[in-house]
Amino acid sequence: MLASVDSTSAQAARLAAAGLTSPAWVLAGEQTAGKGRRGRPWASPRGNFYASLVMQPAEPPEQVALRSFAAALALREALVGLTGLPQVFALKWPNDVLLNGGKLAGILLESTGANGRLGNLVIGIGVNLTTAPDPAEVEPGAVTPVSLLAETGLRITPEAFLDALAPAYARWEAVFTTYGFAPLRDEWLRHAARLGQTIRARTGTQTRTGIFETVDATGALVLTTPEGRVAIPAAEVFF
């Protein structure tokens, strides 16, 4: 575990660039330049979980991206195993884990490559183990952030969390590489937040409102809207 780093994903990318040829986790007690989706700053106080997994996947880029579902399932499995509270955790498309309806964890995938081939994949994961950002700091309409400690009373160290997460991810990685996306999709949908309910999906150009019907075989969000059924490959979801 690194005491402090700019970001675990940046450090993982540096390891890959230096010639790393096998999967590796990078764990840090503090990040000085952590980031979330769309480059937003990710608050990184000590006590929370900041880690990244770097690997060299063999699949085409569109399949590699489906590992966000493997990461979400592994996160939920680790959390349930550590807390014994399966009923309080849900998965929010595309890459968040919820606790009692609040945002507990986020996942960010970054990759490098050239000529249509992917070289390295970095899966960055942040979990609010002890503290959560001030709700005033998040985007209006976004899910309120929560911490594991405040919601459950359980204090779990980053090291202990990685001890649970790493083997959980390895199991889902094995399922994905052996059987493909279908079993991950089925399990993810069993724990999906707001499935069958009305949600909003915002892309860079428009916002669609509809009933969250499913996730399709490509990982896209499928909504039933007044204009018909639509598959959305990337968006921010609001409840």
Side-chain angles (χ1 to χ4, degrees):
M1 177 172 172
L2 301 171
S4 181
V5 71
D6 52 353
S7 84
T8 59
S9 290
Q11 179 63 16
R14 287 190 288 265
L15 290 174
L20 185 72
T21 57
S22 59
W25 284 93
V26 176
L27 175 66
E30 176 190 46
Q31 293 185 128
T32 59
K35 63 181 180 179
R37 294 188 72 221
R38 303 186 188 277
R40 296 179 182 132
W42 182 279
S44 304
R46 291 190 178 276
N48 288 343
F49 180 82
Y50 317 109
S52 295
L53 173 63
V54 58
M55 63 175 67
Q56 299 75 36
E59 303 89 358
E62 63 273 14
Q63 294 180 30
V64 169
L66 295 172
R67 281 181 170 82
S68 63
F69 291 87
L73 289 169
L75 272 169
R76 185 183 182 279
E77 182 177 315
L79 288 161
V80 169
L82 289 165
T83 66
L85 300 169
Q87 70 279 9
V88 301
F89 299 103
L91 304 178
K92 176 176 177 285
W93 189 93
N95 52 11
D96 293 339
V97 179
L98 306 183
L99 166 57
N100 294 331
K103 180 175 176 176
L104 177 69
I107 301 161
L108 179 65
L109 270 61
E110 298 176 288
S111 60
T112 61
N115 301 319
R117 293 187 60 83
L118 191 144
N120 296 289
L121 174 70
V122 176
I123 304 174
I125 295 173
V127 185
N128 300 326
L129 293 179
T130 59
T131 58
D134 186 330
E137 297 177 3
V138 303
E139 184 178 3
V143 175
T144 301
V146 298
S147 76
L148 188 69
L149 179 61
E151 293 293 316
T152 69
L154 297 172
R155 186 179 293 275
I156 296 171
T157 67
E159 295 92 337
F161 192 79
L162 183 58
D163 285 344
L165 177 62
Y169 183 84
R171 284 191 290 273
W172 285 109
E173 173 73 16
V175 171
F176 179 63
T177 55
T178 303
Y179 302 106
F181 179 54
L184 276 68
R185 173 182 176 272
D186 291 344
E187 183 66 13
W188 191 95
L189 285 168
R190 275 192 276 272
H191 307 294
R194 303 297 178 97
L195 187 66
Q197 299 182 32
T198 299
I199 62 173
R200 290 183 294 125
R202 188 180 71 192
T203 65
T205 57
Q206 65 181 142
T207 298
R208 290 188 175 97
T209 299
I211 296 173
F212 177 14
E213 181 181 325
T214 189
V215 168
D216 70 15
T218 70
L221 176 74
V222 178
L223 296 183
T224 300
T225 74
E227 294 75 35
R229 194 170 184 261
V230 59
I232 304 172
E236 292 188 79
V237 167
F238 298 85
F239 294 157

